[in-house]
Amino acid sequence: MMVESASETIRSAPSGQNGVGSLSGQADGSGSGSGAGAAGTAGGGAGRDAAAGADSNGEMSPADLLHFQQQQALQVARQFLLQQASGLSSPGNNDSKQAASAVQVPVSVAMMSPQMLTPQQMQQILSPPQLQALLQQQQALMLQQLQEYYKKQQEQLHLQLLTQQQAGKQPPKEALGNKQLAFQQQLLQMQQLQQQHLLNLQRQGLVSLQPNQASGPLQTLPQAAVCPTDLPQLWKGEGAPGQPAEDSVKQEGLDLTGTATTATSFAAPPKVSPPLSHHTLPNGQPTVLTPRRDSSSHEETPSSHPLYGHGECKWPGCETLCEDLGQFIKHLNTEHALDDRSTAQCRVQMQVVQQLEIQLAKESERLQAMMAHLHMRPSEPKPFSQPVTVSAADSFPDGLVHPPTSAAAPVTPLRPPGLGSASLHSGGPARRRSSDKFCSPISSELAQNHEFYKNADVRPPFTYASLIRQAILETPDRQLTLNEIYNWFTRMFAYFRRNTATWKNAVRHNLSLHKCFVRVENVKGAVWTVDEREYQKRRPPKMTGTRGLLPAPATPHGPPFTCALDPEAPGEGERGLRSPTLVKNMISSLSYGALNASYQAALAESSFPILNSPGMLNPGSTSSLLPLSHDDVGAPGEPLPSNGSSSPPRLSPPQYSHQVQVKEEPAEAEEDRRPGPALGPPNPSTAGPAEDRDLEEELPGEELS
DNA sequence: TTGCCGATAAACACTT
DNA sequence: CAAGTGTTTATCGGCA
């Protein structure tokens, strides 16, 4: 108390560095739902901070470029095909009564086909020069191969058709068949060719891309996906009779098996095309192609269509009711024909899928790490992790380059990786109770999901107090002006970039209200510091008893999970196989006690030296046990054993404040910012031992409390 | 049901 | 005077 009164006089405008700031626009408006736009006080100041735009940028990743390349190539191929199509029909090797339909085929096929990017779209995304280069490159290559390939392809088609006819027992369907099949085959082969090409490039080190993307449209788009099993077949089928074409394709030393494998794995993820099966051609031949089901739609695929279900069209945003498949097909061909719109929609869908896949891979990776860390067998991943794992694996077939998934930084409101949906009380005015203190050490949690919070407009699951503290502790000198605190908030959390008015008031309120925040006069003016002891004092009681230190703060808190780590929990583990509760259960079932024990033990023996030593920066050194410790310890934020003065339960290192934050993180850690030196400034040294004194010095002087 | 805690709102004082 | 900063009070809702 004294502190403030004394200091207030001096206070000079802290404005110094704030201005730079943050905040992207968004009018003040009481973002937080509850409104109260009034907030006459400072809160209103909404306007000025300029977001620390550090984040977000719309650059194109190499992978994207590649993706586009591929699409472009496919498009070229498609055009080629379409041209061919018209020509093909002439040969008339088929009885087809539905010659007419043949025309449609290409359309539907094309629609489903990989290339979904129109040149225009490409242009929008790529810079002209880029586009040019890519196009030329790609086209040249493709065309070359295509032309060569096509001649052979024609022959091949004839052969196949003949075979089919011979085996021919197929009634009407057949009719359609030949032409369509031919098209489909061609298309498919084109795609494969394309794929081959890409693979070759990859192998040659010319390109590195993510399987997802490499396979891009093909596999990503459910509709376009090729049945995994089909591919091999295809190759086989063609190769068998002696397809010269094949050879030309594989040239680069790609062996069939390899190709097939890769292709398969590529296709796998999307796991599409249930209907494929139907297509089994009468003679069982290149039925393979048929998989393009819908495309050929009409006659075949009597049963279902991936875009048709429950009597309605499932085309994104469509939902048109169709009595039967036939009608649906019509609808499909008319409403969703190959045009800019459909193309764009496909593209979007593709992106969605890709994003999800990437996200999934990321998450599963994290999960693995978490489980490994918790001494769980990754092998017994529980129901939900299972699929994850699988898909992840699928989407990243080995042998391929796995570009850092990180690239994709979805600014989507996805839930923070490490968190359960819980934390998403979706920003509302939610008065989320932050059990955070107990459950997740803010520092680690933050470090882990830093990117997430930075980009997603999700309300962070921490209390203002803990956030403020975190902000302050992150700085080398452990002190911040109010404005700097604001900036930190906006910089670290997208949420605070938008919901301006209220939180600033809340921050001030918290600063004033909590004894743990001490105002100190500084050269800069008034700055705020944290009195760890006070901070610790605030909460020791609670968590001590019931809650323990959470091993891995996988779940911050939030209604659902809210640290339900009750000691008792172990028993009821089962009820919680539900995903949301899963984490909780996992943890609890992990023999929380044991962990806790080991944690303590580890801490006991390792305690500070390690934490404070530079070595701590090196995750490796600390190994599995420590991570736990740091987290918890490091984030005195919460579970901290109430200060060094009291509280027997946990070891109570005096106040190794945040420094301990350093912790090793599963995958992301690296990019996120090494928590260690404190996210903020590059001043590892300051952090260390000095810090303790820092607090001591400043605070004492001020006479805390 | 009660008490604690955190979030939010708002009034007010003070400084720049 | 306006804006920023701090303090304080009141209310609400979640949670144990």
Side-chain angles (χ1 to χ4, degrees):
Chain A
M1 6 175 110
M2 278 288 302
V3 186
E4 303 141 4
S5 54
S7 56
E8 57 188 26
T9 46
I10 313 175
R11 199 191 345 178
S12 65
S15 52
Q17 26 206 203
N18 42 12
V20 189
S22 28
L23 209 347
S24 49
Q26 295 272 344
D28 46 44
S30 39
S32 64
S34 56
T41 38
R48 89 215 103 276
D49 327 14
D55 34 63
S56 76
N57 63 29
E59 297 288 336
M60 251 190 124
S61 70
D64 284 333
L65 279 178
L66 209 122
H67 189 181
F68 289 130
Q69 258 184 308
Q70 184 185 22
Q71 290 188 327
Q72 182 54 46
L74 283 170
Q75 174 154 26
V76 173
R78 185 177 129 267
Q79 288 177 342
F80 215 95
L81 275 177
L82 287 175
Q83 289 178 354
Q84 285 286 323
S86 49
L88 255 176
S89 53
S90 57
N93 24 4
N94 44 8
D95 30 38
S96 71
K97 356 169 170 188
Q98 307 177 304
S101 68
V103 183
Q104 287 182 312
V105 178
V107 176
S108 53
V109 169
M111 186 178 75
M112 301 318 229
S113 73
Q115 62 57 248
M116 331 243 96
L117 243 204
T118 65
Q120 297 93 316
Q121 289 175 314
M122 295 266 300
Q123 285 171 8
Q124 292 177 343
I125 305 170
L126 291 174
S127 69
Q130 280 178 318
L131 239 174
Q132 278 298 353
L134 290 178
L135 279 180
Q136 287 174 3
Q137 226 183 17
Q138 206 57 45
Q139 286 182 359
L141 281 170
M142 287 303 297
L143 285 176
Q144 250 187 19
Q145 293 185 348
L146 277 178
Q147 289 176 352
E148 228 184 278
Y149 178 75
Y150 251 92
K151 291 179 186 174
K152 298 172 183 177
Q153 187 58 32
Q154 294 267 19
E155 295 177 3
Q156 186 185 329
L157 271 174
H158 285 286
L159 279 177
Q160 290 181 339
L161 289 176
L162 282 177
T163 346
Q164 284 181 8
Q165 286 179 335
Q166 289 178 351
K169 18 159 171 199
Q170 47 284 191
K173 302 243 161 153
E174 269 249 289
L176 87 88
N178 295 331
K179 270 186 193 168
Q180 292 189 338
L181 271 180
F183 291 136
Q184 293 174 340
Q185 262 186 333
Q186 284 188 316
L187 225 185
L188 225 190
Q189 289 176 344
M190 288 306 310
Q191 292 171 341
Q192 291 184 339
L193 187 80
Q194 171 66 26
Q195 217 171 28
Q196 283 276 346
H197 176 65
L198 286 169
L199 282 173
N200 289 338
L201 286 179
Q202 272 183 279
R203 300 203 177 189
Q204 294 167 9
L206 296 178
V207 191
S208 72
L209 72 168
Q210 197 164 3
N212 289 346
Q213 293 171 317
S215 56
L218 231 185
Q219 289 73 16
T220 316
L221 253 196
Q223 299 90 334
V226 178
C227 177
T229 52
D230 291 337
L231 282 176
Q233 247 181 308
L234 207 195
W235 287 112
K236 201 158 116 199
E238 293 180 4
Q243 309 293 351
E246 227 29 60
D247 302 328
S248 64
V249 177
K250 332 181 206 174
Q251 358 104 300
E252 325 275 349
L254 270 186
D255 57 335
L256 240 178
T257 45
T259 312
T261 321
T262 12
T264 308
S265 50
F266 273 118
K271 218 166 218 145
V272 237
S273 62
L276 300 181
S277 50
H278 312 309
H279 302 311
T280 52
L281 269 197
N283 56 18
Q285 277 248 345
T287 34
V288 192
L289 307 178
T290 23
R292 279 205 156 280
R293 36 43 163 69
D294 48 80
S295 42
S296 39
S297 51
H298 334 1
E299 10 323 81
E300 38 186 57
T301 61
S303 44
S304 63
H305 188 295
L307 286 175
Y308 180 64
H310 295 90
E312 61 180 38
C313 173
K314 290 188 169 179
W315 185 278
C318 183
E319 297 187 36
T320 299
L321 295 176
C322 300
E323 291 180 16
D324 54 35
L325 198 64
Q327 194 181 336
F328 163 73
I329 297 300
K330 274 183 192 169
H331 160 77
L332 196 59
N333 286 326
T334 56
E335 298 302 311
H336 307 301
L338 178 63
D339 58 18
D340 287 352
R341 194 181 54 134
S342 299
T343 296
Q345 290 174 321
C346 277
R347 169 95 186 121
V348 169
Q349 181 67 17
M350 225 162 66
Q351 301 274 339
V352 169
V353 173
Q354 272 185 355
Q355 281 301 331
L356 289 176
E357 285 175 348
I358 291 172
Q359 184 73 21
L360 189 62
K362 237 176 161 178
E363 298 308 310
S364 65
E365 208 177 306
R366 188 189 302 249
L367 174 64
Q368 295 294 325
M370 285 168 65
M371 289 166 104
H373 172 66
L374 296 178
H375 308 297
M376 287 182 81
R377 251 82 290 207
S379 51
E380 61 135 348
K382 313 299 160 215
F384 93 125
S385 57
Q386 190 75 356
V388 174
T389 318
V390 173
S391 61
D394 285 344
S395 53
F396 293 157
D398 285 333
L400 292 177
V401 190
H402 303 198
T405 52
S406 59
V411 187
T412 55
L414 294 177
R415 95 188 80 113
L419 305 179
S421 56
S423 57
L424 288 184
H425 326 41
S426 58
R431 270 138 200 284
R432 51 56 217 5
R433 195 342 186 304
S434 55
S435 0
D436 57 9
K437 5 170 125 184
F438 314 129
C439 290
S440 71
I442 183 172
S443 56
S444 61
E445 171 37 52
L446 246 187
Q448 248 177 359
N449 301 307
H450 167 253
E451 283 302 320
F452 173 79
Y453 291 123
K454 197 170 166 183
N455 297 312
D457 187 13
V458 173
R459 179 173 191 135
F462 312 105
T463 62
Y464 280 114
S466 57
L467 284 174
I468 294 170
R469 173 176 164 277
Q470 182 65 23
I472 294 173
L473 293 184
E474 276 183 13
T475 63
D477 44 357
R478 310 288 138 93
Q479 51 177 244
L480 285 176
T481 62
L482 178 64
N483 218 296
E484 288 169 334
I485 293 175
Y486 288 163
N487 289 336
W488 184 86
F489 271 67
T490 53
R491 195 176 358 112
M492 303 294 284
F493 304 92
Y495 177 82
F496 292 120
R497 263 171 246 147
R498 304 201 170 163
N499 311 282
T500 331
T502 62
W503 67 265
K504 284 188 176 178
N505 185 25
V507 167
R508 289 194 308 275
H509 168 74
N510 274 268
L511 284 172
S512 296
L513 190 67
H514 301 303
K515 287 180 188 170
C516 59
F517 297 118
V518 182
R519 207 173 77 111
V520 179
E521 291 312 321
N522 195 354
V523 194
K524 286 178 175 180
V527 294
W528 290 92
T529 61
V530 178
D531 178 344
E532 280 301 309
R533 274 176 290 208
E534 278 300 325
Y535 187 82
Q536 251 40 271
K537 274 186 198 169
R538 298 164 50 213
R539 20 195 106 202
K542 339 182 121 193
M543 50 155 317
T544 48
T546 5
R547 288 54 211 265
L549 310 168
L550 248 199
T555 69
H557 43 286
F561 309 35
T562 306
C563 334
L565 306 167
D566 309 74
E568 35 182 67
E572 38 188 12
E574 25 195 285
R575 64 122 119 173
L577 280 186
R578 305 182 260 145
S579 56
T581 40
L582 180 84
V583 179
K584 161 173 102 181
N585 292 320
M586 261 175 34
I587 294 173
S588 55
S589 63
L590 267 186
S591 67
Y592 160 76
L595 266 180
N596 193 21
S598 62
Y599 153 72
Q600 292 190 20
L603 238 193
E605 61 175 52
S606 59
S607 66
F608 297 108
I610 300 180
L611 292 176
N612 288 330
S613 70
M616 66 181 291
L617 286 183
N618 175 3
S621 62
T622 49
S623 78
S624 60
L625 282 179
L626 273 178
L628 274 181
S629 28
H630 316 133
D631 276 353
D632 295 335
V633 172
E638 294 31 279
L640 233 201
S642 54
N643 79 36
S645 53
S646 59
S647 111
R650 355 235 117 141
L651 2 161
S652 51
Q655 47 271 82
Y656 31 76
S657 21
H658 62 301
Q659 165 154 126
V660 196
Q661 296 165 300
V662 182
K663 60 164 210 172
E664 71 185 40
E665 309 246 353
E668 266 184 20
E670 71 276 17
E671 64 147 20
D672 279 351
R673 80 174 35 300
R674 33 296 265 33
L679 310 100
N683 203 338
S685 57
T686 50
E691 102 178 75
D692 287 346
R693 267 177 284 108
D694 279 347
L695 284 175
E696 307 283 351
E697 293 171 3
E698 295 184 22
L699 301 177
E702 303 290 337
E703 138 263 52
L704 9 119
S705 68

